[in-house]
Amino acid sequence: MATTNLKINGKEYSVDVDPSTPLLWVLRDHLNLVGTKYGCGVAACGACVVHLEGEAVRSCVTKINRAAGKEVVTIEGLSEHGDHPLQKAWEQVDVPQCGYCQSGQIMSAAVLLREIPNPTDEDIDLAMTGNICRCGTYLRIREAIHLAAEIQTKLK
Amino acid sequence: MESKTGQKKDMRSYRLVTALSVLAILMTLMVKISAHSGSAAFDPKDKKVSTVHSKKDSVKSVEAFSKVYSVLMSPRCVNCHPAGDVPLQGDDSHLHAMLPQRGKDGKGILTMKCTNCHQSENTLGTHTPPGNPNWHLPPADMKMVFEGKSARELAKQLVDPAQNGHKDMKALIDHADDDLVLWGWEPGDGRTLPPLSHKEFKEAWITWLKNGAYAP
Ligand code: FES
Ligand code: FES
C-alpha cells in the first residue's frame, strides 16, 4: 500500500492502494466514479477509456502509479453540465442501446474531435476501431461524431 | 595372390582419386560461395566500417547470419517490423486486433497510440498488453520491414544506413543491447522466446557484422 495523489476531473484525491492497482479499480471502487466501465480488463474493448494527460488510455491496464500527479479526465468530467458537443450529439442521435460501452466511446471520440475537428468517415473508423460495442451501434456513433463536429464548429 | 594384391592397389588408388575429386569439388564450392556472396552487405570502402572489421570471412559471416535471421524472423522481432502499417500479434503473427495504425512516428494515431494500452512493463497474465518504456514500430519514413524478407534481402537492408535508421557499424553492434530488442527475451506470459538466447544472438550478430556482413 502507498499513498498516491491524483488529479481527476480537476479535483485532488489521495488514495491508499497498492501502486500496481489499475486506475479503473481506483475510479470505480475507491472514488465511486462509476461512469467508466469494466469490459474486458485486458485493453481489448475500450469500455474503460479515460483521458490521461489528454490521451485516450485504457484505465483497466493503467497502473495507478502511472497516473500519479497527472491530469485524469473521466466521463463525469468531460463537461461541467453534460453539454460537450459529443454528449449533445449522442442524445440527439439517440446512440446508446444498452449503454455499457458508451462512456468509452465518447471519451475516445473526444480525443478524435480535438485532433481532427472535422473527421471523415475514415478518420472516425481509424480512431474508433478500438472501441467495441456489443449492441452494434457503430453507425449511430459515426453519425453522432459528424453531428458533434458540426456543433463544435458552430460554437467556435 | 598376385591378382588380389593388384586389386588392393587398384582399390587404394581408386580411394585416392575419389578423395582428391571430393577435395576439388569442395574447393570449387568454397570459391563459388565466396564469389557468390562477394557482394558484402557493407561497402568495404566505407571508412566507418573498415576501421571496425579487420578480418573478413564470408563463410563465417554468412553462417552467423543464418542464426541472426532465425531470431529476426521470430514473432518477437517480426511482429513489430510488419510489411504493412498494422503491427502483428501472437506466435502466428496475425494482424494486431483492433488494427492500430503505425502513424508517422511509429507510435500510433489519435485514440490508438501504442502507450494507451502498452505500459512501460509487461502487464501480468496472458493475452494482456506487453510493455516497454519505448514501445513503438519503426516510423513511417523508415519502416525497416522484416516480414516477408529473404535472408539476403534482410541482410542487405540491415546494413544500409538509408534503410536501417542511419546506423553505422557501431550503432548496429550497440543495437543488440537496445532495450526494446532485449524485451524479445522477456516478452511476458504466454509468448514464446526467440530460437536463440540473447547471448547466442549477440555473438552471431557481431560475428556476422565483423566478418564483413555478407549477405547470403
Ligand atoms: S475494460 Fe479496459 S479495454 Fe476493456
Ligand atoms: S450500446 Fe451496448 S455495448 Fe454499446
Side-chain angles (χ1 to χ4, degrees):
Chain A
M1 295 287 178
T3 303
T4 308
N5 295 320
L6 298 165
K7 197 172 173 199
I8 301 167
N9 303 330
K11 276 197 213 157
E12 311 274 348
Y13 295 90
S14 185
V15 288
D16 192 23
V17 292
D18 186 285
S20 65
T21 309
L23 174 59
L24 178 61
W25 269 236
V26 174
L27 292 174
R28 293 185 55 87
D29 294 355
H30 293 257
L31 306 176
N32 203 31
L33 291 166
V34 291
T36 308
K37 300 291 189 269
Y38 171 89
C40 63
V42 293
C45 75
C48 67
V49 170
V50 300
H51 298 175
L52 176 66
E53 300 284 272
E55 298 291 355
V57 303
R58 290 166 188 238
S59 58
C60 65
V61 288
T62 304
K63 290 178 185 160
I64 198 67
N65 56 0
R66 182 178 168 195
K70 308 248 172 74
E71 201 81 43
V72 176
V73 177
T74 69
I75 187 72
E76 290 89 348
L78 184 64
S79 62
E80 217 178 317
H81 305 291
D83 56 356
H84 184 284
L86 282 163
Q87 288 165 310
K88 284 187 188 163
W90 241 248
E91 232 180 322
Q92 238 171 284
V93 176
D94 202 6
V95 176
Q97 182 72 25
C98 80
Y100 200 82
C101 70
Q102 298 294 331
S103 67
Q105 303 280 3
I106 291 176
M107 294 310 279
S108 287
V111 170
L112 165 65
L113 277 194
R114 184 191 70 212
E115 300 296 320
I116 307 179
N118 264 305
T120 60
D121 280 353
E122 202 199 340
D123 295 330
I124 294 173
D125 293 348
L126 287 175
M128 302 303 291
T129 174
N131 286 83
I132 291 169
C133 172
R134 63 189 172 184
C135 302
T137 62
Y138 301 109
L139 295 180
R140 293 206 292 272
I141 289 172
R142 199 199 255 177
E143 190 187 332
I145 293 176
H146 283 303
L147 178 60
E150 272 174 43
I151 299 172
Q152 183 177 260
T153 314
K154 277 184 202 149
L155 285 176
K156 278 182 184 166
Chain B
M1 280 300 277
E2 259 182 33
S3 71
K4 270 192 181 169
T5 321
Q7 266 180 4
K8 270 186 187 166
K9 269 187 191 163
D10 279 355
M11 280 300 284
R12 260 187 236 128
S13 52
Y14 172 73
R15 280 192 193 132
L16 192 67
V17 170
T18 315
L20 281 173
S21 358
V22 168
L23 199 65
I25 290 169
L26 275 177
M27 284 173 75
T28 323
L29 266 177
M30 298 271 278
V31 170
K32 275 200 175 157
I33 286 170
S34 59
H36 176 63
S37 51
S39 52
F42 257 118
D43 179 355
K45 277 174 261 149
D46 183 341
K47 287 198 192 91
K48 282 176 286 191
V49 174
S50 52
T51 51
V52 182
H53 61 85
S54 45
K55 54 180 168 51
K56 277 190 182 182
D57 183 336
S58 62
V59 175
K60 225 176 169 182
S61 184
V62 166
E63 215 175 74
F65 190 74
S66 72
K67 292 184 187 165
V68 169
Y69 185 67
S70 76
V71 170
L72 300 191
M73 297 310 274
S74 81
R76 296 295 78 79
C77 296
V78 91
N79 284 2
C80 285
H81 288 267
D85 286 324
V86 174
L88 309 172
Q89 245 181 353
D91 283 351
D92 60 354
S93 297
H94 58 267
L95 285 178
H96 189 304
M98 299 173 269
L99 308 180
Q101 301 291 311
R102 179 192 303 273
K104 228 174 155 182
D105 57 3
K107 295 179 179 173
I109 59 163
L110 301 166
T111 59
M112 298 294 288
K113 304 257 174 78
C114 304
T115 53
N116 288 355
C117 297
H118 296 276
Q119 311 297 311
S120 53
E121 66 282 303
N122 295 325
T123 302
L124 285 181
T126 51
H127 307 292
T128 59
N132 177 276
N134 195 22
W135 198 263
H136 69 286
L137 291 188
D141 62 357
M142 184 71 74
K143 293 189 182 177
M144 301 184 234
V145 174
F146 291 3
E147 189 190 3
K149 292 274 158 93
S150 68
R152 184 172 180 78
E153 286 167 336
L154 192 55
K156 285 174 155 288
Q157 170 181 305
L158 284 166
V159 290
D160 175 4
Q163 295 185 77
N164 74 5
H166 312 293
K167 290 183 191 69
D168 62 11
M169 177 67 111
K170 188 182 173 306
L172 279 171
I173 290 175
D174 290 349
H175 195 64
D177 289 317
D178 176 271
D179 200 27
L180 200 47
V181 170
L182 286 168
W183 170 88
W185 282 270
E186 273 183 28
D189 296 342
R191 293 178 194 93
T192 56
L193 294 174
L196 302 180
S197 70
H198 178 259
K199 190 170 171 272
E200 291 164 327
F201 165 70
K202 191 176 164 184
E203 245 170 56
W205 175 247
I206 293 174
T207 305
W208 171 59
L209 287 168
K210 288 202 167 175
N211 281 287
Y214 281 83

